[in-house]
Amino acid sequence: MIPFTFDYVSLAVCLCCMAFFVKGARLDEQSPLAWGGLSLAGWLAATWLLSGGLLMCLASQGLLFVGLAAFNARRDRIRQSARDQA
């Protein structure tokens, strides 16, 4: 008796999303472990905390992408303004 069922399609998509964020972190010279961990945390939150399906999990990955892009844009803008003042 298995206490829960496991969706292998969801696992495959989760791993693809994690690989996408890890590759993005390497290209952006950031921590791949942190970005992959954020991807996994978002996926798990959408799956088990919010009881969402595959679509909600993909939406969480999209929100993570938008959030990381906004964070990096803000960081670059702050660095640029610091360079301009120096």
Side-chain angles (χ1 to χ4, degrees):
M1 307 221 87
I2 298 174
F4 61 91
T5 59
F6 199 76
D7 184 14
Y8 290 103
V9 172
S10 180
L11 176 66
V13 174
C14 174
L15 291 176
C16 288
C17 289
M18 282 181 62
F20 172 78
F21 281 107
V22 166
K23 179 68 173 178
R26 287 184 179 149
L27 290 174
D28 203 28
E29 297 176 356
Q30 299 296 318
S31 171
L33 184 63
W35 282 28
L38 284 172
S39 175
L40 180 62
W43 192 273
L44 291 176
T47 301
W48 282 310
L49 293 178
L50 301 175
S51 298
L54 185 62
L55 190 60
M56 184 179 280
C57 293
L58 288 173
S60 74
Q61 298 300 300
L63 287 173
L64 177 62
F65 180 78
V66 169
L68 286 173
F71 176 78
N72 285 335
R74 175 81 172 141
R75 185 190 63 207
D76 291 343
R77 203 172 315 136
I78 290 171
R79 285 183 182 169
Q80 184 64 34
S81 67
R83 277 188 228 135
D84 292 342
Q85 289 178 356

